[in-house]
Amino acid sequence: MTSFIPYGRQDIQPPDIAAVLEVLQSDWLTQGPAIERFEQAVANSCGVRYAVAVSSATAALHIACLAIGLGPGDRLWTCPNTFVASANCGLYCGATVGFVDLDPHTYNLSLAELERKLVQAAAAGTVPKVLVPVHFAGQSCELARIADLARQYGFRVIEDASHAIGGQYRGQAIGSCQFSDLAVFSFHPVKIITTGEGGMVLTNQPDLYEALIRLRTHGITRNPALMQEESHGPWYYQQLELGFNYRMTDIQAALGYSQMQRLQEFVTRRRFLADRYTTLLQDLPLTLPWQHPDTASSWHLYVIRLHLEKLQRSQRQVFEALRQMGIGVNLHYIPVHTQPYYQALGFRWGDFPQAEQYYREAISLPLYPGLSLADQDRVIQALSEILS
Ligand SMILES: *Cc1c(COP(=O)(O)O)cnc(C)c1O
C-alpha cells in the first residue's frame, strides 16, 4: 500500500513541541509574554511597525474592517477566487460585498477589471470603502497599482495575505504594508507557518493599531489616556466600543514563534518544489502557474489548469482519478459568488466569467515542505498517466 499524499500539511519539529511544553509549564497560558514575542518576530520579519495576533485570519479580517470603520451603507470589494472569509468580513460589518473578476494569468484580481469597475462606481457614487486584494497561492497582487487607485478613488486596502507570509513584492516582504493600510496572515495548518488556528493583522498606522488591540479584547482599554472619565483605581478598565474575544493563546503564540524561525526554510523548500513541478510538468496539456516579475511567491499552492479541449476526461474525472491513486488534490477556489449564501444576496453564475472558467479547469497539487521528491514524482507520474 502506498500512502495518501495530502495537498498541504504542517511541519512540526521537536523545537516546536518543546516551545509549546514550555508555555504549558509556565504561569501564562493566555495574555502572557509569548504573544508579544510572536508579534515582534512577525513584525520584524515583515518590516512593519505593528502586529496584532488573533484567533484566526477570519477574526483578523473582521477587526481590520472594523478598525477602518467599515459599516452599514459601505462597500467592500474582493476577488471571487478566494476563501469565503475574504468576503464574509464585509458582511459581518453590515457592509455590501462586491467582486472584481480574476486576472487569467496571475489568478489574482484583475487590475484592468478593477479600474473599469471603479470608473463605473465613481460615476454612480458607489466606490467601495475597502478593497481586499488576495495574494492568491502566495503570489502578491500588483500592490503599487492598487495603491495608486486607492489614492485616486479614496478607498482603503486590506491585503488578505493568508497565503503569502514569506513572499515578496518588489523586494519587500509581504506584510510590510508599504502599499496598504493593513495586511492579514493565517496560521491554519495548511498555510505557510501554523499556530493550529490563528491569524495576525499588520499595520504601520498607530490609530489602526490602537483600534485593533481594543477590538481583539471586547472593546476594552486599560490605558487611562483613552478613558472617558478618570480611572476609579488600579482595577479599572473601560469598554469603549463593541469588541470581541479574538485573542490567541500563549500556547499558540509559542508554536508560531518557533515556526517563524523556519519561515525562510519553509518558503525555500516550497519554491524548490514548485520549480520542480514547473520543470517536470512542461510537456503535459496544462497551464502552469505564471509569475509576475515583481513578485516572489511563498508558494502556498501549486495550481494547474487542464487544457480540457485536448483531454478525453473531464476535470472531475481527472480529480477523482488522482484521489484514487492516493494523491490528495484539492480545488482553490469555488468562486465565492456562486455559494448559495451569496446567490441569495443576488449574485449569479455568469457574473464573473474568468473566475468561473478558472474554476472549471483548476486543480491544486500537493505542496508542503515535508513533501518528499519521491512523493512529488508519484504526483507527476500519476498526472502523466491520467492525462496521456
Ligand atoms: C485560510 C484563509 C482565510 C481564513 O483563515 P483562517 O485562519 O482559517 O480564519 C482567509 N482568506 C484566505 C485567502 C485563506 O486562504
Side-chain angles (χ1 to χ4, degrees), residues 64-138:
C65 288
L66 288 173
I68 273 178
L70 188 72
D74 294 329
R75 291 177 180 76
L76 173 149
W77 288 0
T78 188
C79 187
N81 183 37
T82 186
F83 185 57
V84 291
S86 319
N88 287 347
C89 57
L91 301 181
Y92 293 159
C93 299
T96 305
V97 167
F99 297 98
V100 180
D101 207 353
L102 66 67
D103 177 317
H105 301 290
T106 61
Y107 314 150
N108 284 329
L109 62 78
S110 155
L111 265 294
E113 191 55 21
L114 176 61
E115 289 200 58
R116 192 188 66 77
K117 279 192 68 134
L118 283 168
V119 169
Q120 280 185 350
T126 58
V127 169
K129 184 165 197 163
V130 175
L131 181 73
V132 180
V134 181
H135 302 317
F136 179 77

Side-chain angles (χ1 to χ4, degrees), residues 56-59 61 82-83 85-86 134 160 162-163 186-188 191 197-198 300 333:
S56 68
T58 304
L61 287 163
T82 186
F83 185 57
S86 319
V134 181
D160 185 343
S162 291
H163 299 180
S186 172
F187 306 127
H188 182 279
K191 306 288 166 68
E197 297 280 0
H300 166 54
Y333 283 98

Side-chain angles (χ1 to χ4, degrees), residues 246-316:
Y246 278 168
R247 291 189 300 267
M248 175 182 279
T249 67
D250 278 49
I251 306 166
Q252 294 166 301
L255 177 56
Y257 181 82
S258 175
Q259 291 261 299
M260 271 306 283
Q261 312 311 308
R262 281 183 291 142
L263 175 62
Q264 283 322 310
E265 179 190 321
F266 288 157
V267 171
T268 300
R269 176 73 180 172
R270 286 176 174 277
R271 285 177 179 162
F272 170 76
L273 292 168
D275 285 348
R276 197 163 177 272
Y277 270 137
T278 298
T279 304
L280 298 175
L281 296 174
Q282 277 308 324
D283 298 332
L284 298 182
L286 299 170
T287 300
L288 303 178
W290 181 82
Q291 299 297 292
H292 191 290
D294 285 351
T295 66
S297 180
S298 57
W299 289 101
H300 166 54
L301 299 173
Y302 192 93
V303 176
I304 56 170
R305 287 179 76 163
L306 305 176
H307 293 177
L308 288 170
E309 71 290 350
K310 294 185 196 140
L311 297 175
Q312 310 297 322
R313 303 201 201 201
S314 69
Q315 176 201 38
R316 182 169 180 162

Side-chain angles (χ1 to χ4, degrees), residues 314-335:
S314 69
Q315 176 201 38
R316 182 169 180 162
Q317 285 169 333
V318 173
F319 191 102
E320 286 177 342
L322 285 163
R323 281 278 179 97
Q324 252 152 34
M325 294 168 84
I327 315 292
V329 285
N330 215 310
L331 210 174
H332 303 92
Y333 283 98
I334 307 158

